[in-house]
Amino acid sequence: APDAAGASVAGAEILDLRAGTYLQLMGGSFPGLPDTEDEAREIKSILGAPDASQPLQLKEAASRSNVLRFNRENKLNQYRYLVFACHGILPGEVDFVTQPALVLSHPDPSTQQGGFLTMADVLGLQLNADLVTLSACNTGRGKLQRGEGVIGLTRAFMFAGTRAITVTLWSVESKSAKTLTTGLYHNLKSGKNLAESLRAAKLRMIHREAGEYYDHPFFWAPLVMMGDVS
């Protein structure tokens, strides 16, 4: 990843990363990410998602058990767009978690166990989405397997049924991640296709229209798109 050491936004050191390595900085717990709730609410507003469709699962409701319940009840496959805005972890960053995972409500309020939605969990989902957005750290990374490529969350969500997915290649700063994803959906709503929507969101950051420091590749470059992006 590009080196962003010493970069700052509005004079404040950038520490607000959506990464599992944050555990080491915060004494073994995952810090809250208030930007993620704003991110989810803004995307809901952009898309005009009706409340009857239960478009928002926030805080304790954003749990592994709820994702799996929605899947059992055949609700997940009714959504065209799915956005996970949370922490992301890689194998070895958390004890006993041996697969790439999204950190949902932790501990899970229903089971009081770990709130990690793992690659294996995702492989069991049934989706029919045009786009899944994983707005978390390192979601595009995984194990490089000879003859197969990278085995991780990207492949798992594609296997589960999404036609396209946006993932990150390194640890993302929270506010710039929100800027990228909301920009993507604004552009998508305006009629651009998936690839054009992401490109336009990145160009806005490169041209400093979204913040003075966001022209650095650390902020705009980590989010990439896979699948049918037309």
Side-chain angles (χ1 to χ4, degrees):
D3 181 9
S8 62
V9 174
E13 289 299 315
I14 293 169
L15 291 175
D16 201 1
L17 301 178
R18 300 184 183 183
T21 50
Y22 219 9
L23 282 168
Q24 299 170 1
L25 301 176
M26 302 298 291
S29 62
F30 289 97
L33 293 170
D35 294 312
T36 58
E37 180 172 345
D38 296 339
E39 183 176 352
R41 290 188 183 280
E42 185 169 345
I43 292 172
K44 172 187 179 293
S45 176
I46 292 166
L47 296 177
D51 291 334
S53 68
Q54 295 181 279
L56 289 178
Q57 300 296 313
L58 304 173
K59 299 179 180 177
E60 289 80 8
S63 65
R64 174 181 179 270
S65 58
N66 268 351
V67 171
L68 299 182
R69 177 175 62 83
F70 271 47
N71 188 60
R72 289 194 304 271
E73 296 173 355
N74 292 317
K75 292 180 178 178
L76 281 184
N77 60 17
Q78 298 177 27
Y79 295 108
R80 288 183 62 193
Y81 304 106
L82 287 168
V83 179
F84 292 87
C86 55
H87 287 290
I89 58 172
L90 294 170
E93 291 186 327
V94 176
D95 289 344
F96 310 115
V97 180
T98 60
Q99 302 174 14
L102 301 174
V103 184
L104 303 185
S105 182
H106 180 72
D108 191 298
S110 295
T111 65
Q112 295 304 308
Q113 297 178 357
F116 306 112
L117 188 74
T118 66
M119 183 178 70
D121 290 329
V122 175
L123 286 168
L125 302 181
Q126 295 182 346
L127 307 179
N128 187 28
D130 290 337
L131 178 66
V132 169
T133 299
L134 303 185
S135 185
C137 290
N138 300 307
T139 51
R141 296 175 60 187
K143 181 180 180 181
L144 181 60
Q145 187 166 321
R146 187 173 182 179
E148 291 291 335
V150 177
I151 308 298
L153 291 173
T154 302
R155 180 171 296 204
F157 273 99
M158 296 292 287
F159 181 86
T162 185
R163 285 172 282 282
I165 185 169
T166 52
V167 293
T168 58
L169 300 179
W170 55 79
S171 295
V172 293
E173 191 272 331
S174 195
K175 292 185 184 300
S176 58
K178 172 181 176 289
T179 299
L180 261 178
T181 59
T182 55
L184 162 65
Y185 282 95
H186 269 297
N187 296 328
L188 192 62
K189 186 66 173 178
S190 73
K192 292 181 172 64
N193 67 27
L194 292 177
E196 291 169 340
S197 295
L198 181 58
R199 179 177 182 272
K202 290 186 174 187
L203 285 174
R204 184 169 178 266
M205 297 176 75
I206 291 170
H207 295 154
R208 294 192 171 189
E209 296 171 12
E212 182 179 356
Y213 298 95
Y214 287 168
D215 60 332
H216 193 292
F218 174 80
F219 299 108
W220 60 261
L223 196 68
V224 296
M225 192 174 286
M226 310 283 186
D228 182 0
V229 301
S230 60

